[in-house]
Amino acid sequence: MYIDKKLFNQYKKTIQQYYDLRHQLIQKSSDATALSKKAIFALHKGDNKEALAYLKKAERSIKEGSKFIKKNEWLKSEGSFAAGLEEYAEAVLFKQYIDGEPLSKISTPIDIEARIYVAALCDVLGEVYRHTIKMASKKNIQEVDKAIAFSDVVISQLLDFNLTKYLRNKFDQAKQAHRKMELISYELRLRM
């Protein structure tokens, strides 16, 4: 049986290039995820300067990762990159909340799709819940109320999205965080 060796060698090279780029993309995605988590942790500590430094490094990792996607379209569906983008978006949105800024579009070298933004927004309510616990321990009722008001707005907006599957699961987690914040507020008021 005859095989077109030139064609097979070309395909082999194409697939090997994909694997090499995929490996590099996964590393950059992992870096973006880890740096974004560190930014969130810094925000919880109240260190905006450190959080911003981590966010800039995470954005660089995303930028470098996006270059690999431009080299090979197959990488667009790489889950680790979407996870890195989602964690980065969550960190940026949480910083916007902490800074008292309105939630807005997140500009990166690659567009953050609606599904990634919505998933990150749902996850932000988990971070806001953790922040609420910290504020309640300091008996800061104003910050607790601010968190609940923010959560109310997010939940009410997301109710109109008709989310399913992954995003529905994220939304359900966001609603649980919201209920926990309301419970914290209730208990804090009972003790005051």
Side-chain angles (χ1 to χ4, degrees):
M1 180 170 169
Y2 177 74
I3 295 176
D4 183 345
K5 286 189 178 185
K6 187 176 178 182
L7 178 66
F8 273 68
N9 285 336
Q10 180 185 346
Y11 288 164
K12 179 181 175 185
K13 184 179 175 183
T14 299
I15 290 173
Q16 189 58 52
Q17 179 199 39
Y18 163 75
Y19 288 136
D20 292 345
L21 291 172
R22 181 178 179 269
H23 177 73
Q24 294 173 65
L25 178 63
I26 289 170
Q27 183 58 54
K28 292 300 173 188
S29 302
S30 178
D31 292 346
T33 300
L35 291 163
S36 298
K37 286 182 183 292
K38 288 180 179 182
I40 290 169
F41 185 70
L43 288 167
H44 279 296
K45 291 188 314 183
D47 193 339
N48 273 13
K49 186 177 178 181
E50 183 181 29
L52 192 56
Y54 282 129
L55 284 172
K56 286 183 180 183
K57 289 178 184 177
E59 188 171 331
R60 265 184 261 141
S61 291
I62 290 168
K63 184 177 184 177
E64 291 168 13
S66 68
K67 290 177 185 176
F68 300 128
I69 292 173
K70 288 177 183 172
K71 290 181 182 179
N72 191 311
E73 295 259 334
W74 296 352
L75 293 169
K76 280 187 177 178
S77 62
E78 180 56 48
S80 64
F81 192 66
L85 281 174
E86 186 178 313
E87 195 67 37
Y88 174 76
E90 179 184 351
V92 170
L93 292 170
F94 186 52
K95 184 172 186 326
Q96 289 174 351
Y97 169 78
I98 292 292
D99 292 347
E101 298 172 0
L103 300 185
S104 60
K105 184 176 181 179
I106 299 168
S107 37
T108 63
I110 190 165
D111 277 339
I112 294 187
E113 299 172 12
R115 67 184 172 89
I116 291 172
Y117 188 98
V118 169
L121 183 57
C122 289
D123 287 345
V124 163
L125 292 189
E127 298 306 332
V128 172
Y129 165 62
R130 287 173 193 75
H131 180 71
T132 303
I133 292 171
K134 183 179 176 182
M135 293 300 105
S137 70
K138 295 178 180 182
K139 296 186 179 10
N140 187 336
I141 196 80
Q142 285 180 310
E143 281 297 314
V144 171
D145 288 344
K146 175 185 162 191
I148 292 170
F150 172 78
S151 182
D152 278 339
V153 169
V154 171
I155 295 293
S156 67
Q157 291 298 308
L158 292 177
L159 281 170
D160 292 335
F161 279 51
N162 195 25
L163 302 171
T164 61
K165 298 182 182 180
Y166 177 71
L167 290 178
R168 179 59 194 212
N169 185 40
K170 290 280 188 182
F171 182 54
D172 289 343
Q173 291 170 4
K175 290 190 299 184
Q176 289 173 0
H178 179 72
R179 280 192 290 277
K180 289 176 183 177
M181 284 185 257
E182 290 176 327
L183 185 59
I184 286 171
S185 175
Y186 172 73
E187 290 177 358
L188 184 59
R189 281 178 163 76
L190 284 178
R191 294 177 185 169
M192 291 182 89

